[in-house]
Amino acid sequence: MYDSIDEAIKVKFAESQSILIVSHIRPDGDAVGSLLGLGLALIHQGKAVQMVLEDGLPDKYLPLSGSDLVRRTAQGEFDMSIVVDCSDIERTGSVLSNISKPDLNIDHHKTNLNFAALNLVEADSVATAATLAEHMPSWGLEIDCAVASCLLTGIIADTIGFRTSNISAQALRLSADLIDKGADLPKLYRQTLVSRSFEAIGFWGAGLNRLGRDGAIVWASLTLDDRRKIGYPDDDDADLINILAAIGDAKIAIIFVEHENGSVKVSWRAQAGIDVSGIALSFGGGGHAAAAGVDIQGDLTEVRDSVIQATKVLLAETFASKNNKILVEEEKGEHKYG
Ligand code: 5GP
Ligand code: MN
């Protein structure tokens, strides 16, 4: 056996010539940045790499190096298969249907199911791309300007521009190192977070017309009809959730997106001190304390009502346990809340 997971990963890379890398359906910036960053570094080492996203690459990431190499299906056999930024194997879609157990799982979701032979799962890492930036040198992989640009994209995306509550000095140090390698922060920041199509802003407008609130929970819904009328081409929420999460006195923001296959995509965002990963997991999804999601089969109104109800229970329980903690700590003379 090996002394460390880094050594085991390095040996597996050395033994492998053809390598498959996959990430999740409806890929976000961390999925794309991690896939491309790791893939490019392995290609530079002379490996035959296939990078696969079942839903393809969102247009905004086309400027990244290696974007033209991303495919929607895997072709042939591989010496090694790697899953990045996925807490469970179902999140990859059907790309791995011929592979029962991937060789390597690199991720940062606390709900990760450790489904591979080697699992590098760092729940306190801000992004899978940050985990890669930290570990790739110890696997003998070089982070050049192209790789650094992909990895910085992943960090910018998952920290919403370095402002999530899990941001750390170490994540900023890793990002600074990527900038030193040539990654262009302002350009990548605008490309990943700021720039929007005209249709995306129109789609926000439709969702904001259905803005709802119950105490500290706010939500909005996006219907298939909105999408068609406005001509928004993708099947995501155009990041409208981040606008809802800007409401200062809301503790939890939720967005519901109706899909053609009869399911509703639900995304939660929580303020610090509230953990929405468990509620997502209880509906069959997953994520982080501050950001989690799930696809639920069913009608938009029914899904919305049951999710809001469950979220109200979560919020009530969270405050009840905090109040209990205040009482206990007051007894101990260590009042920390309020
Ligand atoms: P979003 O709601 O923006 O799609 O995702 C927020 C977080 O929850 C991300 O870390 C994402 O990977 C995770 N997540 C979203 N949807 C699902 C899902 O259906 N299954 C799992 N396991 N994780 C999800
Ligand atoms: Mn991620």
Side-chain angles (χ1 to χ4, degrees):
M1 276 285 108
Y2 304 102
D3 287 345
S4 67
I5 185 155
D6 281 329
E7 200 189 330
I9 292 170
K10 190 175 179 181
V11 169
K12 184 68 192 168
F13 279 137
E15 290 170 356
S16 306
Q17 179 51 32
S18 59
I19 299 176
L20 171 67
I21 314 178
V22 306
S23 190
H24 55 83
I25 54 171
R26 289 199 285 278
D28 55 22
D30 193 25
V32 170
S34 299
L35 180 94
L36 290 175
L38 180 59
L40 286 177
L42 287 165
I43 289 170
H44 294 159
Q45 285 222 325
K47 308 289 183 186
V49 178
Q50 278 189 39
M51 296 183 270
V52 179
L53 295 171
E54 184 164 287
D55 288 343
L57 191 90
D59 285 354
K60 68 173 166 179
Y61 301 117
L62 286 173
L64 290 174
S65 297
S67 61
D68 52 323
L69 303 175
V70 175
R71 301 281 173 267
R72 286 174 182 258
T73 53
Q75 307 287 326
E77 305 276 307
F78 304 92
D79 300 330
M80 181 177 187
S81 56
I82 308 172
V83 179
V84 292
D85 199 43
C86 296
S87 59
D88 59 51
I89 203 160
E90 285 73 32
R91 284 277 283 162
T92 60
S94 52
V95 178
L96 295 174
S97 52
N98 293 333
I99 295 171
S100 57
K101 191 165 189 158
D103 296 294
L104 178 57
N105 158 26
I106 306 171
D107 189 31
H108 69 127
H109 292 92
K110 63 184 284 193
T111 54
N112 193 287
L113 301 178
N114 294 311
F115 51 81
L118 291 167
N119 298 285
L120 176 61
V121 178
E122 297 184 327
D124 55 358
S125 171
V126 295
T128 300
T131 291
L132 285 168
E134 188 156 3
H135 289 261
M136 279 171 55
S138 64
W139 306 336
L141 297 181
E142 192 199 339
I143 299 180
D144 62 9
C145 176
V147 172
S149 302
C150 296
L151 297 180
L152 191 57
T153 294
I155 296 174
I156 292 168
D158 265 21
T159 62
I160 324 175
F162 309 104
R163 63 190 172 88
T164 48
S165 58
N166 60 351
I167 194 70
S168 60
Q170 171 63 0
L172 293 172
R173 264 181 228 113
L174 286 169
S175 301
D177 287 345
L178 296 173
I179 294 167
D180 274 344
K181 304 270 186 204
D184 182 341
L185 178 66
K187 182 177 129 206
L188 296 171
Y189 196 110
R190 182 166 172 82
Q191 180 173 295
T192 308
L193 291 178
V194 182
S195 177
R196 308 273 167 196
S197 66
F198 183 81
E199 289 75 18
I201 305 295
F203 199 40
W204 285 2
L208 289 173
N209 268 330
R210 275 184 227 98
L211 187 63
R213 155 169 228 160
D214 184 329
I217 302 173
V218 295
W219 63 85
S221 313
L222 290 159
T223 66
L224 280 171
D225 200 40
D226 296 333
R227 218 171 102 189
R228 270 186 229 110
K229 277 193 186 135
I230 288 153
Y232 180 67
D234 300 324
D235 66 353
D236 56 23
D237 69 337
D239 289 332
L240 176 58
I241 187 70
N242 292 334
I243 304 295
L244 299 190
I247 298 173
D249 55 353
K251 298 286 181 203
I252 300 181
I254 318 172
I255 197 128
F256 302 92
V257 184
E258 193 178 35
H259 280 154
E260 259 137 12
N261 65 0
S263 73
V264 177
K265 169 69 202 288
V266 184
S267 295
W268 288 265
R269 295 294 182 270
Q271 287 195 10
I274 299 168
D275 184 346
V276 285
S277 67
I279 192 169
L281 195 62
S282 74
F283 279 100
H288 313 281
V294 64
D295 268 305
I296 303 177
Q297 210 58 38
D299 163 78
L300 178 66
T301 313
E302 280 166 25
V303 169
R304 189 192 63 198
D305 291 350
S306 74
V307 164
I308 290 171
Q309 187 51 37
T311 307
K312 280 166 74 173
V313 171
L314 167 77
L315 201 56
E317 283 171 2
T318 304
F319 284 120
S321 72
K322 281 194 177 164
N323 287 335
N324 284 342
K325 203 165 171 201
I326 292 170
L327 289 177
V328 171
E329 284 171 355
E330 274 176 346
E331 277 165 22
K332 289 194 291 184
E334 297 173 2
H335 187 211
K336 282 194 194 118
Y337 296 96

PDB file of all heavy atoms in Angstrom, residues 24 28 30-31 34 85 107-109 126-129 154 158 288, ligand 2:
ATOM      1  N   HIS A  24     -20.059  16.474 -13.990  1.00  0.00           N
ATOM      2  CA  HIS A  24     -21.509  16.305 -13.844  1.00  0.00           C
ATOM      3  C   HIS A  24     -22.370  16.917 -14.938  1.00  0.00           C
ATOM      4  O   HIS A  24     -21.925  17.772 -15.695  1.00  0.00           O
ATOM      5  CB  HIS A  24     -21.978  16.789 -12.465  1.00  0.00           C
ATOM      6  CG  HIS A  24     -21.628  18.191 -12.092  1.00  0.00           C
ATOM      7  ND1 HIS A  24     -22.363  19.266 -12.496  1.00  0.00           N
ATOM      8  CD2 HIS A  24     -20.640  18.693 -11.308  1.00  0.00           C
ATOM      9  CE1 HIS A  24     -21.851  20.364 -11.964  1.00  0.00           C
ATOM     10  NE2 HIS A  24     -20.796  20.046 -11.244  1.00  0.00           N
ATOM     11  N   ASP A  28     -21.129  23.201 -14.134  1.00  0.00           N
ATOM     12  CA  ASP A  28     -20.863  24.575 -13.722  1.00  0.00           C
ATOM     13  C   ASP A  28     -19.378  24.868 -13.937  1.00  0.00           C
ATOM     14  O   ASP A  28     -18.631  24.039 -14.464  1.00  0.00           O
ATOM     15  CB  ASP A  28     -21.284  24.776 -12.255  1.00  0.00           C
ATOM     16  CG  ASP A  28     -20.621  23.765 -11.333  1.00  0.00           C
ATOM     17  OD1 ASP A  28     -19.570  23.200 -11.690  1.00  0.00           O
ATOM     18  OD2 ASP A  28     -21.146  23.544 -10.221  1.00  0.00           O
ATOM     19  N   ASP A  30     -16.883  24.992 -11.918  1.00  0.00           N
ATOM     20  CA  ASP A  30     -15.928  24.112 -11.246  1.00  0.00           C
ATOM     21  C   ASP A  30     -15.833  22.762 -11.968  1.00  0.00           C
ATOM     22  O   ASP A  30     -14.739  22.209 -12.113  1.00  0.00           O
ATOM     23  CB  ASP A  30     -16.344  23.908  -9.775  1.00  0.00           C
ATOM     24  CG  ASP A  30     -15.245  23.283  -8.936  1.00  0.00           C
ATOM     25  OD1 ASP A  30     -14.052  23.425  -9.300  1.00  0.00           O
ATOM     26  OD2 ASP A  30     -15.560  22.660  -7.910  1.00  0.00           O
ATOM     27  N   ALA A  31     -16.970  22.262 -12.439  1.00  0.00           N
ATOM     28  CA  ALA A  31     -16.947  21.011 -13.212  1.00  0.00           C
ATOM     29  C   ALA A  31     -16.082  21.185 -14.457  1.00  0.00           C
ATOM     30  O   ALA A  31     -15.186  20.379 -14.741  1.00  0.00           O
ATOM     31  CB  ALA A  31     -18.377  20.614 -13.595  1.00  0.00           C
ATOM     32  N   SER A  34     -12.247  22.073 -13.584  1.00  0.00           N
ATOM     33  CA  SER A  34     -11.518  20.912 -13.057  1.00  0.00           C
ATOM     34  C   SER A  34     -11.246  19.897 -14.157  1.00  0.00           C
ATOM     35  O   SER A  34     -10.146  19.350 -14.273  1.00  0.00           O
ATOM     36  CB  SER A  34     -12.332  20.246 -11.937  1.00  0.00           C
ATOM     37  OG  SER A  34     -12.541  21.160 -10.882  1.00  0.00           O
ATOM     38  N   ASP A  85     -15.625  16.630  -9.243  1.00  0.00           N
ATOM     39  CA  ASP A  85     -16.687  17.541  -8.782  1.00  0.00           C
ATOM     40  C   ASP A  85     -18.074  16.899  -8.719  1.00  0.00           C
ATOM     41  O   ASP A  85     -19.079  17.590  -8.870  1.00  0.00           O
ATOM     42  CB  ASP A  85     -16.722  18.809  -9.671  1.00  0.00           C
ATOM     43  CG  ASP A  85     -17.437  19.965  -9.008  1.00  0.00           C
ATOM     44  OD1 ASP A  85     -17.211  20.178  -7.807  1.00  0.00           O
ATOM     45  OD2 ASP A  85     -18.222  20.654  -9.678  1.00  0.00           O
ATOM     46  N   ASP A 107     -13.135  15.454  -5.355  1.00  0.00           N
ATOM     47  CA  ASP A 107     -14.325  16.259  -5.080  1.00  0.00           C
ATOM     48  C   ASP A 107     -14.185  17.034  -3.770  1.00  0.00           C
ATOM     49  O   ASP A 107     -13.241  16.813  -2.993  1.00  0.00           O
ATOM     50  CB  ASP A 107     -15.554  15.334  -5.013  1.00  0.00           C
ATOM     51  CG  ASP A 107     -16.865  16.103  -4.942  1.00  0.00           C
ATOM     52  OD1 ASP A 107     -16.943  17.214  -5.497  1.00  0.00           O
ATOM     53  OD2 ASP A 107     -17.821  15.596  -4.320  1.00  0.00           O
ATOM     54  N   HIS A 108     -15.168  17.914  -3.522  1.00  0.00           N
ATOM     55  CA  HIS A 108     -15.164  18.707  -2.275  1.00  0.00           C
ATOM     56  C   HIS A 108     -16.568  18.801  -1.669  1.00  0.00           C
ATOM     57  O   HIS A 108     -16.819  19.715  -0.885  1.00  0.00           O
ATOM     58  CB  HIS A 108     -14.584  20.104  -2.551  1.00  0.00           C
ATOM     59  CG  HIS A 108     -15.480  20.951  -3.404  1.00  0.00           C
ATOM     60  ND1 HIS A 108     -15.885  22.219  -3.045  1.00  0.00           N
ATOM     61  CD2 HIS A 108     -16.071  20.704  -4.595  1.00  0.00           C
ATOM     62  CE1 HIS A 108     -16.668  22.702  -3.995  1.00  0.00           C
ATOM     63  NE2 HIS A 108     -16.796  21.811  -4.943  1.00  0.00           N
ATOM     64  N   HIS A 109     -17.482  17.918  -2.062  1.00  0.00           N
ATOM     65  CA  HIS A 109     -18.831  17.943  -1.479  1.00  0.00           C
ATOM     66  C   HIS A 109     -18.859  17.118  -0.200  1.00  0.00           C
ATOM     67  O   HIS A 109     -18.440  15.961  -0.210  1.00  0.00           O
ATOM     68  CB  HIS A 109     -19.855  17.356  -2.459  1.00  0.00           C
ATOM     69  CG  HIS A 109     -20.074  18.194  -3.674  1.00  0.00           C
ATOM     70  ND1 HIS A 109     -19.372  18.011  -4.831  1.00  0.00           N
ATOM     71  CD2 HIS A 109     -20.896  19.241  -3.879  1.00  0.00           C
ATOM     72  CE1 HIS A 109     -19.768  18.912  -5.719  1.00  0.00           C
ATOM     73  NE2 HIS A 109     -20.696  19.671  -5.171  1.00  0.00           N
ATOM     74  N   VAL A 126     -12.677  24.897  -1.194  1.00  0.00           N
ATOM     75  CA  VAL A 126     -13.706  25.771  -1.769  1.00  0.00           C
ATOM     76  C   VAL A 126     -14.174  25.302  -3.141  1.00  0.00           C
ATOM     77  O   VAL A 126     -15.239  25.693  -3.602  1.00  0.00           O
ATOM     78  CB  VAL A 126     -13.231  27.245  -1.884  1.00  0.00           C
ATOM     79  CG1 VAL A 126     -12.996  27.834  -0.503  1.00  0.00           C
ATOM     80  CG2 VAL A 126     -11.989  27.374  -2.769  1.00  0.00           C
ATOM     81  N   ALA A 127     -13.369  24.489  -3.813  1.00  0.00           N
ATOM     82  CA  ALA A 127     -13.725  24.033  -5.158  1.00  0.00           C
ATOM     83  C   ALA A 127     -12.887  22.785  -5.469  1.00  0.00           C
ATOM     84  O   ALA A 127     -11.775  22.646  -4.947  1.00  0.00           O
ATOM     85  CB  ALA A 127     -13.413  25.109  -6.199  1.00  0.00           C
ATOM     86  N   THR A 128     -13.413  21.924  -6.331  1.00  0.00           N
ATOM     87  CA  THR A 128     -12.595  20.798  -6.775  1.00  0.00           C
ATOM     88  C   THR A 128     -11.338  21.340  -7.459  1.00  0.00           C
ATOM     89  O   THR A 128     -10.242  20.787  -7.310  1.00  0.00           O
ATOM     90  CB  THR A 128     -13.408  19.907  -7.739  1.00  0.00           C
ATOM     91  OG1 THR A 128     -14.560  19.437  -7.037  1.00  0.00           O
ATOM     92  CG2 THR A 128     -12.597  18.725  -8.229  1.00  0.00           C
ATOM     93  N   ALA A 129     -11.487  22.453  -8.172  1.00  0.00           N
ATOM     94  CA  ALA A 129     -10.329  23.060  -8.848  1.00  0.00           C
ATOM     95  C   ALA A 129      -9.260  23.497  -7.843  1.00  0.00           C
ATOM     96  O   ALA A 129      -8.064  23.454  -8.148  1.00  0.00           O
ATOM     97  CB  ALA A 129     -10.788  24.255  -9.690  1.00  0.00           C
ATOM     98  N   GLY A 154     -12.663  27.537 -12.025  1.00  0.00           N
ATOM     99  CA  GLY A 154     -13.398  26.686 -11.081  1.00  0.00           C
ATOM    100  C   GLY A 154     -13.519  27.333  -9.708  1.00  0.00           C
ATOM    101  O   GLY A 154     -14.589  27.289  -9.077  1.00  0.00           O
ATOM    102  N   ASP A 158     -17.135  28.551  -7.941  1.00  0.00           N
ATOM    103  CA  ASP A 158     -17.702  27.953  -6.729  1.00  0.00           C
ATOM    104  C   ASP A 158     -17.669  28.882  -5.523  1.00  0.00           C
ATOM    105  O   ASP A 158     -18.426  28.692  -4.575  1.00  0.00           O
ATOM    106  CB  ASP A 158     -16.984  26.635  -6.393  1.00  0.00           C
ATOM    107  CG  ASP A 158     -17.739  25.440  -6.955  1.00  0.00           C
ATOM    108  OD1 ASP A 158     -18.533  25.641  -7.890  1.00  0.00           O
ATOM    109  OD2 ASP A 158     -17.562  24.319  -6.455  1.00  0.00           O
ATOM    110  N   HIS A 288     -23.385  21.281  -0.667  1.00  0.00           N
ATOM    111  CA  HIS A 288     -22.615  21.817   0.456  1.00  0.00           C
ATOM    112  C   HIS A 288     -23.562  22.439   1.484  1.00  0.00           C
ATOM    113  O   HIS A 288     -24.738  22.632   1.207  1.00  0.00           O
ATOM    114  CB  HIS A 288     -21.666  22.909  -0.036  1.00  0.00           C
ATOM    115  CG  HIS A 288     -20.902  22.538  -1.249  1.00  0.00           C
ATOM    116  ND1 HIS A 288     -19.797  21.724  -1.204  1.00  0.00           N
ATOM    117  CD2 HIS A 288     -21.095  22.832  -2.550  1.00  0.00           C
ATOM    118  CE1 HIS A 288     -19.332  21.557  -2.414  1.00  0.00           C
ATOM    119  NE2 HIS A 288     -20.102  22.213  -3.260  1.00  0.00           N
TER     120      HIS A 288
HETATM  121 MN    MN B   2     -17.556  22.231  -7.118  1.00  0.00          MN
END
